[in-house]
Amino acid sequence: MTPSEEALIRSLSSGLSQETIVRMRLNDDPRSTRIIEFCKHLTHLVPKLKIQREDDSTGELPAISIGPRIDYCGVPSGNEIAPFLKALTALDRGTDSIPMDIGQRLQNIRPASKVTIFIAPSCRFCPEVLQRIIPLPIETEGVRLTIIDTTLFNDVAEINNVRSVPPVMVDGQYRWTGGVRLSEVCTAIENRDPSKLDQSALQRLITEGGAYDLARMMFTGWITSQIEGDPD
């Protein structure tokens, strides 16, 4: 961590109104060690931050979890620092940067849509996209955000055919590279095909008592396919 990055992180202390809890999701992946080291340094620079360790056995990527719906899979550096700090501040103070109509449209989405953004520390465009998307999982329950640092998880980037950053993906069904408007993300979430949701999303929906919602979404999708002339 450079001195300028340390100074920027120290400034977070004045931006937090109270003690804020951040979780580390750790497993046997050797990159968990990098996250542990970063979080130790983070709490040294910002005493108001408290770190909780969660040992994971589900196969998820190791991550820094900010609130219940943001997973940061990486170690923030370079251009990633500012949006990472914004997420911590928003967790503490909330944010009013989401248009009311979008917040209302996403609030009751079930299961929560998985939005994934791949980033890199040297990317000039990543901070703008992150700062636009980060308020969604802070202010609504309809979005879960996973941020993946391609320098630390280059294998995950290759599997997802990421050739440039920052691509934004919604439930693996929609994808943008470069600029993306919140209205586009919102529309994609509303129009997703529930039959193509991954297993973890379906499991969450059922365990959270949303079996009726799942059936409704699948029925609506079937009706739409008949109207559009899809024989399947």
Side-chain angles (χ1 to χ4, degrees):
M1 190 178 297
T2 67
S4 60
E5 290 173 346
E6 289 185 345
L8 187 59
I9 290 175
R10 281 196 183 95
S11 68
L12 177 64
S13 290
S14 60
L16 295 179
S17 64
Q18 58 187 334
E19 183 178 291
T20 301
I21 296 176
V22 174
R23 292 170 290 116
M24 296 185 300
R25 185 177 67 206
L26 307 172
N27 53 32
D28 293 335
D29 189 311
R31 289 166 290 198
S32 291
T33 302
R34 293 281 306 278
I35 290 176
I36 293 172
E37 292 172 351
F38 173 82
C39 286
K40 285 182 178 179
H41 199 174
L42 183 64
T43 55
H44 174 72
L45 297 172
V46 186
K48 287 183 181 178
L49 284 179
K50 303 301 178 184
I51 305 297
Q52 290 183 350
R53 174 175 178 141
E54 293 183 355
D55 293 318
D56 176 71
S57 60
T58 65
E60 296 280 352
L61 297 178
I64 302 169
S65 296
I66 303 172
R69 293 181 292 274
I70 298 179
D71 289 329
Y72 195 109
C73 304
V75 175
S77 64
N79 290 331
E80 301 172 4
I81 293 286
F84 176 77
L85 298 182
K86 176 179 179 177
L88 292 174
T89 303
L91 178 64
D92 172 55
R93 295 178 176 270
T95 175
D96 57 0
S97 57
I98 301 177
M100 184 177 297
D101 63 316
I102 289 181
Q104 291 174 342
R105 289 165 63 186
L106 295 179
Q107 189 61 42
N108 296 317
I109 293 291
R110 297 292 185 276
S113 178
K114 182 178 181 180
V115 177
T116 304
I117 305 177
F118 288 87
I119 61 172
S122 60
C123 172
R124 293 181 298 139
F125 308 104
C126 292
E128 179 182 351
V129 172
L130 282 175
Q131 296 202 44
R132 192 176 301 156
I133 301 296
I134 280 174
L136 292 180
I138 295 289
E139 294 298 319
T140 74
E141 296 182 6
V143 175
R144 288 176 177 264
L145 175 61
T146 299
I147 303 166
I148 301 178
D149 185 340
T150 57
T151 58
L152 191 60
F153 293 94
N154 61 313
D155 54 327
V156 181
E158 289 179 2
I159 291 172
N160 286 274
N161 197 31
V162 174
R163 301 187 182 279
S164 61
V165 291
V168 179
M169 303 167 61
V170 173
D171 292 312
Q173 299 176 37
Y174 301 89
R175 182 172 183 150
W176 301 265
T177 299
V180 58
R181 295 192 296 270
L182 284 182
S183 58
E184 294 175 326
V185 175
C186 183
T187 299
I189 291 172
E190 291 176 317
N191 294 334
R192 62 187 174 160
D193 181 353
S195 69
K196 296 179 180 178
L197 296 179
D198 63 26
Q199 183 177 356
S200 62
L202 294 173
Q203 183 65 33
R204 266 199 322 270
L205 181 62
I206 293 172
T207 57
E208 292 173 1
Y212 173 80
D213 290 329
L214 176 60
R216 174 181 52 77
M217 286 191 298
M218 296 184 71
F219 179 73
T220 302
W222 179 82
I223 291 294
T224 301
S225 71
Q226 301 307 303
I227 294 174
E228 294 177 350
D230 183 352
D232 296 331

